[in-house]
Amino acid sequence: MSFCSLSRLIRLSVSPNPLKITTLLLFSTLSTTDEIYAHLINNRFDLENTLIRANPKLDTKCVNDVMFKCVPNNSQTGLRFFIWAGLQSSYRHSAFMYSKACDTFKIKENPRVIKDIMENYKENPYVVNVKMIRVVLTLCKEAGLADEALWVFNKMSEFNLRADSIMYNIVIKLFIEKGDIDMSQKLMREMLLNGLYPVMTTCVLIIKGMCDVGRLEEACGLFKVMRENDCVPNVVAYSTLLDGICRFGSVDKALELLTEMENDGGQSSPSVVTYTSVIQNFCKKGRAIEALGILERMQGYGCAPNHVTVHTLINGFCVDGHLEEAYNIIDKLVTTGCSSYEECYSYFVISLIKIKKVEDAERLFRKMLATGVKPSSLACSNMVKEIYLEERLMDGLNLCYEIDKISSLSFIDSEIRFNLLDGLCQKGLFSEAAKLVRLMIRKGIQLKASHTDELIKHFIKYDDQELLGDLPRIGR
């Protein structure tokens, strides 16, 4: 072979293929989203396998953009892509993305799309697996579609698939949320027969659902079933059942269950939430004195009450009319280190206001200020509000000054300050209102901008140019 022939052969062998270059340039200019979309549109009947061969790099933005491109004309294709994407090891749908998919494809408004996608899969049964069904059920969960989830669940046999515990738990929870306790129980029994076990959160939801409709015996029976299947009820399960018994059952039964929890210990040990729930239910039934016994029992078990416990007890004593006993229980709570006088007396003031004993509340509130016991912001706001509602504007104003002395912070709600200022201005008490505004300016206490505008309209009549210039400083 001549040198020229050899040279020509070499040039031909290394010359670029125009078609290949064009294709390469085309795909290099396309975004990942566009590439995926092109695959979806051109390979509808072999969509999943096409995506597997393409092996695109997925992230949240990419998945979201592809879904957006698919609506409204190719929603079914877009939904199949979303389900496929949820199976990939390098990418996982977040709860946000499931919510986004439900919104994008309007699954809640048009539940039929779930059935359509499953019927679509029947044409390609080899691509369907347990993970895909799990993604579909999670979409049903996000959209709150219990009936459609059960339909998908029952369709699994047509694809020679068996449900796992995750799927059972999803469908059971959906029916609990729907209020269909019977179906939830049926699915749970079926689950146990198949050697699968519900997670504790599902058991708790079923117990709560039963308790909410007063089916206490069945709820107690579920505890027995749980133990028989080595699913020991935890404190949340116990507390849920205990709350139901307190509401619909006998007090004696509730105390028996509480004793059982204390004796079992471990994960079943009653928590502050458990004891507080019992105390709340005793107080709701007008049995605050007996609720005090639960507090003593709680402390004896080594469980310290929290602020909810304290508030519940004090409020219970007020509602039952045991005001003197309330003072005694406060002393006890403080001396045992469970709370402080500031916290207890603040709750006491709030509770007295709730039962319309405003005079008693004000007497206690002023005693707190006089003895250096600092009331909470909520107690301060409620007290000033009640005085304002009684149209005792000057008393309310003077109380504001006393409260502002105890702290550099604002202990009174801005809405209540505005109402007081507005009332003073409407009564023509501009001088008194101006003093409070100037105090607020010095302390940096803010009002809503709309409230400041209203005050400016009032103070134009007062003709204090300096104050009018300063008022915008307290607007936010």
Side-chain angles (χ1 to χ4, degrees):
M1 182 183 295
S2 69
F3 179 80
C4 291
S5 300
L6 182 59
S7 174
R8 191 181 304 112
L9 180 62
I10 292 171
R11 284 201 304 274
L12 285 172
S13 65
V14 298
S15 294
N17 184 322
L19 181 60
K20 285 185 178 180
I21 287 179
T22 303
T23 305
L24 183 62
L25 287 172
L26 174 64
F27 276 89
S28 65
T29 57
L30 285 175
S31 68
T32 304
T33 300
D34 292 329
E35 283 188 49
I36 293 172
Y37 184 71
H39 284 307
L40 297 179
I41 299 307
N42 296 326
N43 299 277
R44 297 174 193 270
F45 298 105
D46 195 22
L47 188 151
E48 286 78 18
N49 284 330
T50 300
L51 288 170
I52 290 169
R53 287 192 293 271
N55 191 27
K57 186 178 180 181
L58 301 176
D59 57 31
T60 299
K61 185 181 184 306
C62 171
V63 173
N64 186 58
D65 290 347
V66 172
M67 289 195 299
F68 184 76
K69 284 180 75 72
C70 287
V71 292
N73 298 325
N74 297 290
S75 294
Q76 193 72 213
T77 301
L79 186 55
R80 281 181 67 179
F81 163 72
F82 178 84
I83 294 168
W84 175 85
L87 313 180
Q88 306 314 301
S89 58
S90 59
Y91 168 80
R92 186 176 179 179
H93 289 319
S94 63
F96 169 77
M97 285 305 294
Y98 276 105
S99 175
K100 192 74 176 175
C102 287
D103 290 341
T104 302
F105 301 118
K106 301 193 181 305
I107 293 173
K108 190 172 185 177
E109 296 81 359
N110 182 26
R112 178 69 207 180
V113 298
I114 294 294
K115 293 185 178 181
D116 289 343
I117 202 77
M118 293 302 296
E119 294 296 342
N120 196 303
Y121 281 142
K122 286 178 73 174
E123 299 174 11
N124 299 281
Y126 55 89
V127 304
V128 179
N129 57 45
V130 168
K131 287 184 178 179
M132 291 178 80
I133 301 295
R134 204 181 284 168
V135 174
V136 175
L137 288 176
T138 306
L139 286 168
C140 291
K141 173 188 171 185
E142 185 63 37
L145 304 176
D147 294 329
E148 285 72 17
L150 183 61
W151 184 88
V152 171
F153 193 78
N154 292 330
K155 275 279 180 183
M156 290 182 66
S157 59
E158 296 183 18
F159 298 97
N160 296 316
L161 300 174
R162 290 186 61 186
D164 58 19
S165 59
I166 294 174
M167 296 176 184
Y168 269 107
N169 279 296
I170 289 173
V171 181
I172 289 171
K173 285 180 182 178
L174 279 168
F175 276 97
I176 293 169
E177 289 167 4
K178 187 182 177 183
D180 191 339
I181 304 301
D182 292 328
M183 179 55 75
S184 300
Q185 281 185 283
K186 179 184 175 184
L187 287 167
M188 187 168 176
R189 286 194 294 268
E190 181 185 307
M191 186 179 187
L192 293 169
L193 287 172
N194 289 333
L196 301 171
Y197 301 97
V199 295
M200 185 62 70
T201 53
T202 302
C203 293
V204 170
L205 285 171
I206 295 176
I207 292 166
K208 186 179 185 305
M210 291 173 175
C211 289
D212 285 345
V213 294
R215 291 162 63 170
L216 300 180
E217 289 302 319
E218 292 174 73
C220 292
L222 181 55
F223 259 57
K224 184 180 178 182
V225 172
M226 289 169 69
R227 286 197 181 92
E228 288 173 351
N229 289 277
D230 297 323
C231 183
V232 180
N234 63 12
V235 65
V236 179
Y238 265 113
S239 297
T240 303
L241 179 59
L242 190 59
D243 182 64
I245 291 172
C246 284
R247 284 186 289 144
F248 300 106
S250 70
V251 172
D252 291 337
K253 179 67 176 175
L255 294 178
E256 284 177 20
L257 187 61
L258 186 59
T259 301
E260 185 180 319
M261 293 178 70
E262 290 169 338
N263 292 337
D264 283 356
Q267 286 190 340
S268 303
S269 295
S271 66
V272 61
V273 176
T274 311
Y275 284 111
T276 301
S277 176
V278 177
I279 289 170
Q280 282 175 331
N281 283 289
F282 268 80
C283 289
K284 283 177 185 176
K285 293 182 178 182
R287 302 170 70 168
I289 299 295
E290 292 172 77
L292 182 57
I294 304 298
L295 175 67
E296 292 168 351
R297 179 171 176 168
M298 175 183 186
Q299 291 173 306
Y301 193 72
C303 185
N306 61 17
H307 69 280
V308 179
T309 319
V310 173
H311 191 185
T312 300
L313 262 177
I314 294 171
N315 189 65
F317 272 80
C318 285
V319 171
D320 288 358
H322 304 305
L323 302 187
E324 286 303 317
E325 288 86 345
Y327 280 103
N328 294 332
I329 187 63
I330 287 171
D331 288 335
K332 185 174 182 178
L333 286 166
V334 174
T335 54
T336 55
C338 296
S339 189
S340 65
Y341 279 117
E342 285 85 354
E343 183 178 50
C344 290
Y345 282 144
S346 292
Y347 287 142
F348 202 178
V349 168
I350 293 165
S351 296
L352 287 168
I353 290 172
K354 279 183 181 177
I355 63 171
K356 305 303 178 184
K357 295 233 177 237
V358 178
E359 190 177 332
D360 290 330
E362 186 177 352
R363 190 181 303 114
L364 174 58
F365 189 86
R366 291 188 182 281
K367 183 180 177 182
M368 290 174 70
L369 293 176
T371 56
V373 178
K374 190 182 292 185
S376 68
S377 177
L378 185 59
C380 292
S381 296
N382 282 5
M383 195 71 257
V384 174
K385 179 182 177 182
E386 289 302 314
I387 293 173
Y388 161 75
L389 290 174
E390 291 181 357
E391 297 189 359
R392 294 159 51 202
L393 297 176
M394 290 306 298
D395 287 341
L397 179 63
N398 290 328
L399 191 60
C400 271
Y401 289 143
E402 289 184 55
I403 292 168
D404 285 336
K405 286 177 186 176
I406 65 176
S407 174
S408 59
L409 302 174
S410 174
F411 268 47
I412 303 170
D413 182 78
S414 64
E415 190 85 22
I416 293 167
R417 281 186 187 270
F418 167 72
N419 288 335
L420 181 59
L421 285 165
D422 187 54
L424 289 167
C425 290
Q426 287 187 30
K427 292 289 184 181
L429 301 170
F430 292 107
S431 177
E432 288 75 8
K435 288 177 185 176
L436 182 56
V437 169
R438 287 192 171 96
L439 175 66
M440 291 169 63
I441 292 171
R442 285 199 305 273
K443 299 189 75 170
I445 297 170
Q446 300 284 294
L447 293 178
K448 290 180 182 176
S450 58
H451 289 165
T452 308
D453 293 341
E454 286 296 315
L455 291 177
I456 289 172
K457 291 177 186 177
H458 283 308
F459 280 108
I460 286 173
K461 303 171 189 175
Y462 185 51
D463 195 26
D464 184 330
Q465 294 303 315
E466 184 181 352
L467 185 63
L468 285 170
D470 288 339
L471 263 171
R473 290 167 54 190
I474 63 171
R476 54 181 164 83

PDB file of all heavy atoms in Angstrom, residues 442-460:
ATOM      1  N   ARG A 442     -40.011  55.687  75.436  1.00  0.00           N
ATOM      2  CA  ARG A 442     -38.769  55.556  76.204  1.00  0.00           C
ATOM      3  C   ARG A 442     -38.352  54.096  76.353  1.00  0.00           C
ATOM      4  O   ARG A 442     -37.165  53.769  76.310  1.00  0.00           O
ATOM      5  CB  ARG A 442     -38.948  56.178  77.591  1.00  0.00           C
ATOM      6  CG  ARG A 442     -38.942  57.695  77.600  1.00  0.00           C
ATOM      7  CD  ARG A 442     -38.648  58.249  78.989  1.00  0.00           C
ATOM      8  NE  ARG A 442     -39.551  57.735  80.007  1.00  0.00           N
ATOM      9  CZ  ARG A 442     -40.729  58.281  80.306  1.00  0.00           C
ATOM     10  NH1 ARG A 442     -41.161  59.336  79.627  1.00  0.00           N
ATOM     11  NH2 ARG A 442     -41.473  57.773  81.266  1.00  0.00           N
ATOM     12  N   LYS A 443     -39.338  53.200  76.541  1.00  0.00           N
ATOM     13  CA  LYS A 443     -39.033  51.786  76.779  1.00  0.00           C
ATOM     14  C   LYS A 443     -38.955  50.970  75.482  1.00  0.00           C
ATOM     15  O   LYS A 443     -38.669  49.777  75.512  1.00  0.00           O
ATOM     16  CB  LYS A 443     -40.082  51.167  77.712  1.00  0.00           C
ATOM     17  CG  LYS A 443     -40.143  51.832  79.091  1.00  0.00           C
ATOM     18  CD  LYS A 443     -41.022  51.072  80.058  1.00  0.00           C
ATOM     19  CE  LYS A 443     -40.324  49.810  80.538  1.00  0.00           C
ATOM     20  NZ  LYS A 443     -41.030  49.167  81.660  1.00  0.00           N
ATOM     21  N   GLY A 444     -39.238  51.621  74.353  1.00  0.00           N
ATOM     22  CA  GLY A 444     -39.156  50.916  73.065  1.00  0.00           C
ATOM     23  C   GLY A 444     -40.277  49.927  72.857  1.00  0.00           C
ATOM     24  O   GLY A 444     -40.131  48.947  72.117  1.00  0.00           O
ATOM     25  N   ILE A 445     -41.429  50.158  73.501  1.00  0.00           N
ATOM     26  CA  ILE A 445     -42.584  49.256  73.354  1.00  0.00           C
ATOM     27  C   ILE A 445     -43.302  49.582  72.052  1.00  0.00           C
ATOM     28  O   ILE A 445     -43.628  50.738  71.781  1.00  0.00           O
ATOM     29  CB  ILE A 445     -43.544  49.409  74.556  1.00  0.00           C
ATOM     30  CG1 ILE A 445     -42.841  48.986  75.851  1.00  0.00           C
ATOM     31  CG2 ILE A 445     -44.807  48.588  74.338  1.00  0.00           C
ATOM     32  CD1 ILE A 445     -43.601  49.329  77.114  1.00  0.00           C
ATOM     33  N   GLN A 446     -43.526  48.561  71.237  1.00  0.00           N
ATOM     34  CA  GLN A 446     -44.063  48.750  69.889  1.00  0.00           C
ATOM     35  C   GLN A 446     -45.553  48.412  69.801  1.00  0.00           C
ATOM     36  O   GLN A 446     -46.077  47.608  70.561  1.00  0.00           O
ATOM     37  CB  GLN A 446     -43.312  47.862  68.901  1.00  0.00           C
ATOM     38  CG  GLN A 446     -41.818  48.149  68.820  1.00  0.00           C
ATOM     39  CD  GLN A 446     -41.520  49.411  68.040  1.00  0.00           C
ATOM     40  OE1 GLN A 446     -41.756  49.490  66.853  1.00  0.00           O
ATOM     41  NE2 GLN A 446     -40.989  50.406  68.728  1.00  0.00           N
ATOM     42  N   LEU A 447     -46.226  49.067  68.847  1.00  0.00           N
ATOM     43  CA  LEU A 447     -47.609  48.759  68.483  1.00  0.00           C
ATOM     44  C   LEU A 447     -47.648  48.427  66.995  1.00  0.00           C
ATOM     45  O   LEU A 447     -46.713  48.733  66.248  1.00  0.00           O
ATOM     46  CB  LEU A 447     -48.517  49.964  68.738  1.00  0.00           C
ATOM     47  CG  LEU A 447     -48.756  50.411  70.186  1.00  0.00           C
ATOM     48  CD1 LEU A 447     -49.639  51.657  70.198  1.00  0.00           C
ATOM     49  CD2 LEU A 447     -49.401  49.304  71.012  1.00  0.00           C
ATOM     50  N   LYS A 448     -48.747  47.825  66.555  1.00  0.00           N
ATOM     51  CA  LYS A 448     -48.924  47.595  65.121  1.00  0.00           C
ATOM     52  C   LYS A 448     -49.006  48.943  64.411  1.00  0.00           C
ATOM     53  O   LYS A 448     -49.520  49.924  64.965  1.00  0.00           O
ATOM     54  CB  LYS A 448     -50.220  46.816  64.869  1.00  0.00           C
ATOM     55  CG  LYS A 448     -50.186  45.371  65.325  1.00  0.00           C
ATOM     56  CD  LYS A 448     -51.519  44.706  65.022  1.00  0.00           C
ATOM     57  CE  LYS A 448     -51.528  43.273  65.502  1.00  0.00           C
ATOM     58  NZ  LYS A 448     -52.860  42.648  65.291  1.00  0.00           N
ATOM     59  N   ALA A 449     -48.538  48.977  63.187  1.00  0.00           N
ATOM     60  CA  ALA A 449     -48.554  50.220  62.412  1.00  0.00           C
ATOM     61  C   ALA A 449     -49.978  50.753  62.263  1.00  0.00           C
ATOM     62  O   ALA A 449     -50.220  51.963  62.331  1.00  0.00           O
ATOM     63  CB  ALA A 449     -47.927  49.986  61.045  1.00  0.00           C
ATOM     64  N   SER A 450     -50.951  49.843  62.080  1.00  0.00           N
ATOM     65  CA  SER A 450     -52.349  50.266  61.923  1.00  0.00           C
ATOM     66  C   SER A 450     -52.859  50.921  63.201  1.00  0.00           C
ATOM     67  O   SER A 450     -53.637  51.882  63.156  1.00  0.00           O
ATOM     68  CB  SER A 450     -53.231  49.067  61.559  1.00  0.00           C
ATOM     69  OG  SER A 450     -53.135  48.053  62.546  1.00  0.00           O
ATOM     70  N   HIS A 451     -52.402  50.420  64.362  1.00  0.00           N
ATOM     71  CA  HIS A 451     -52.800  50.998  65.638  1.00  0.00           C
ATOM     72  C   HIS A 451     -52.173  52.391  65.807  1.00  0.00           C
ATOM     73  O   HIS A 451     -52.827  53.319  66.298  1.00  0.00           O
ATOM     74  CB  HIS A 451     -52.381  50.091  66.793  1.00  0.00           C
ATOM     75  CG  HIS A 451     -53.180  48.830  66.864  1.00  0.00           C
ATOM     76  ND1 HIS A 451     -52.797  47.739  67.618  1.00  0.00           N
ATOM     77  CD2 HIS A 451     -54.341  48.470  66.260  1.00  0.00           C
ATOM     78  CE1 HIS A 451     -53.683  46.775  67.484  1.00  0.00           C
ATOM     79  NE2 HIS A 451     -54.627  47.199  66.660  1.00  0.00           N
ATOM     80  N   THR A 452     -50.933  52.509  65.406  1.00  0.00           N
ATOM     81  CA  THR A 452     -50.258  53.813  65.487  1.00  0.00           C
ATOM     82  C   THR A 452     -50.981  54.845  64.627  1.00  0.00           C
ATOM     83  O   THR A 452     -51.161  55.996  65.036  1.00  0.00           O
ATOM     84  CB  THR A 452     -48.788  53.682  65.015  1.00  0.00           C
ATOM     85  OG1 THR A 452     -48.155  52.622  65.734  1.00  0.00           O
ATOM     86  CG2 THR A 452     -48.022  54.959  65.273  1.00  0.00           C
ATOM     87  N   ASP A 453     -51.430  54.430  63.445  1.00  0.00           N
ATOM     88  CA  ASP A 453     -52.172  55.339  62.559  1.00  0.00           C
ATOM     89  C   ASP A 453     -53.451  55.831  63.223  1.00  0.00           C
ATOM     90  O   ASP A 453     -53.821  57.016  63.100  1.00  0.00           O
ATOM     91  CB  ASP A 453     -52.508  54.637  61.238  1.00  0.00           C
ATOM     92  CG  ASP A 453     -51.265  54.342  60.401  1.00  0.00           C
ATOM     93  OD1 ASP A 453     -50.227  54.985  60.657  1.00  0.00           O
ATOM     94  OD2 ASP A 453     -51.339  53.471  59.515  1.00  0.00           O
ATOM     95  N   GLU A 454     -54.129  54.914  63.933  1.00  0.00           N
ATOM     96  CA  GLU A 454     -55.367  55.300  64.622  1.00  0.00           C
ATOM     97  C   GLU A 454     -55.076  56.323  65.722  1.00  0.00           C
ATOM     98  O   GLU A 454     -55.824  57.282  65.913  1.00  0.00           O
ATOM     99  CB  GLU A 454     -56.032  54.062  65.229  1.00  0.00           C
ATOM    100  CG  GLU A 454     -56.710  53.149  64.219  1.00  0.00           C
ATOM    101  CD  GLU A 454     -57.870  53.835  63.516  1.00  0.00           C
ATOM    102  OE1 GLU A 454     -58.680  54.504  64.196  1.00  0.00           O
ATOM    103  OE2 GLU A 454     -57.951  53.717  62.279  1.00  0.00           O
ATOM    104  N   LEU A 455     -53.982  56.086  66.457  1.00  0.00           N
ATOM    105  CA  LEU A 455     -53.626  57.010  67.535  1.00  0.00           C
ATOM    106  C   LEU A 455     -53.251  58.388  66.991  1.00  0.00           C
ATOM    107  O   LEU A 455     -53.575  59.418  67.595  1.00  0.00           O
ATOM    108  CB  LEU A 455     -52.468  56.435  68.361  1.00  0.00           C
ATOM    109  CG  LEU A 455     -52.801  55.198  69.214  1.00  0.00           C
ATOM    110  CD1 LEU A 455     -51.550  54.692  69.908  1.00  0.00           C
ATOM    111  CD2 LEU A 455     -53.881  55.519  70.241  1.00  0.00           C
ATOM    112  N   ILE A 456     -52.589  58.413  65.854  1.00  0.00           N
ATOM    113  CA  ILE A 456     -52.224  59.700  65.229  1.00  0.00           C
ATOM    114  C   ILE A 456     -53.493  60.503  64.915  1.00  0.00           C
ATOM    115  O   ILE A 456     -53.557  61.719  65.139  1.00  0.00           O
ATOM    116  CB  ILE A 456     -51.379  59.473  63.963  1.00  0.00           C
ATOM    117  CG1 ILE A 456     -49.976  58.983  64.353  1.00  0.00           C
ATOM    118  CG2 ILE A 456     -51.283  60.751  63.128  1.00  0.00           C
ATOM    119  CD1 ILE A 456     -49.122  58.547  63.186  1.00  0.00           C
ATOM    120  N   LYS A 457     -54.525  59.802  64.418  1.00  0.00           N
ATOM    121  CA  LYS A 457     -55.802  60.484  64.121  1.00  0.00           C
ATOM    122  C   LYS A 457     -56.392  61.095  65.394  1.00  0.00           C
ATOM    123  O   LYS A 457     -56.943  62.192  65.367  1.00  0.00           O
ATOM    124  CB  LYS A 457     -56.794  59.485  63.520  1.00  0.00           C
ATOM    125  CG  LYS A 457     -56.435  59.007  62.129  1.00  0.00           C
ATOM    126  CD  LYS A 457     -57.427  57.958  61.642  1.00  0.00           C
ATOM    127  CE  LYS A 457     -56.993  57.369  60.300  1.00  0.00           C
ATOM    128  NZ  LYS A 457     -57.915  56.288  59.859  1.00  0.00           N
ATOM    129  N   HIS A 458     -56.267  60.354  66.516  1.00  0.00           N
ATOM    130  CA  HIS A 458     -56.766  60.875  67.785  1.00  0.00           C
ATOM    131  C   HIS A 458     -55.957  62.093  68.232  1.00  0.00           C
ATOM    132  O   HIS A 458     -56.516  63.130  68.618  1.00  0.00           O
ATOM    133  CB  HIS A 458     -56.678  59.802  68.877  1.00  0.00           C
ATOM    134  CG  HIS A 458     -57.748  58.754  68.806  1.00  0.00           C
ATOM    135  ND1 HIS A 458     -59.081  59.059  68.733  1.00  0.00           N
ATOM    136  CD2 HIS A 458     -57.671  57.395  68.835  1.00  0.00           C
ATOM    137  CE1 HIS A 458     -59.791  57.945  68.693  1.00  0.00           C
ATOM    138  NE2 HIS A 458     -58.957  56.916  68.753  1.00  0.00           N
ATOM    139  N   PHE A 459     -54.628  61.966  68.178  1.00  0.00           N
ATOM    140  CA  PHE A 459     -53.762  62.997  68.751  1.00  0.00           C
ATOM    141  C   PHE A 459     -53.645  64.252  67.893  1.00  0.00           C
ATOM    142  O   PHE A 459     -53.123  65.279  68.357  1.00  0.00           O
ATOM    143  CB  PHE A 459     -52.371  62.416  69.049  1.00  0.00           C
ATOM    144  CG  PHE A 459     -52.316  61.632  70.327  1.00  0.00           C
ATOM    145  CD1 PHE A 459     -52.198  60.254  70.308  1.00  0.00           C
ATOM    146  CD2 PHE A 459     -52.402  62.280  71.562  1.00  0.00           C
ATOM    147  CE1 PHE A 459     -52.160  59.523  71.486  1.00  0.00           C
ATOM    148  CE2 PHE A 459     -52.366  61.559  72.742  1.00  0.00           C
ATOM    149  CZ  PHE A 459     -52.248  60.181  72.712  1.00  0.00           C
ATOM    150  N   ILE A 460     -54.150  64.220  66.665  1.00  0.00           N
ATOM    151  CA  ILE A 460     -54.219  65.450  65.855  1.00  0.00           C
ATOM    152  C   ILE A 460     -55.101  66.475  66.568  1.00  0.00           C
ATOM    153  O   ILE A 460     -54.819  67.679  66.559  1.00  0.00           O
ATOM    154  CB  ILE A 460     -54.758  65.129  64.437  1.00  0.00           C
ATOM    155  CG1 ILE A 460     -53.663  64.420  63.615  1.00  0.00           C
ATOM    156  CG2 ILE A 460     -55.226  66.398  63.725  1.00  0.00           C
ATOM    157  CD1 ILE A 460     -54.121  63.915  62.271  1.00  0.00           C
TER     158      ILE A 460
END
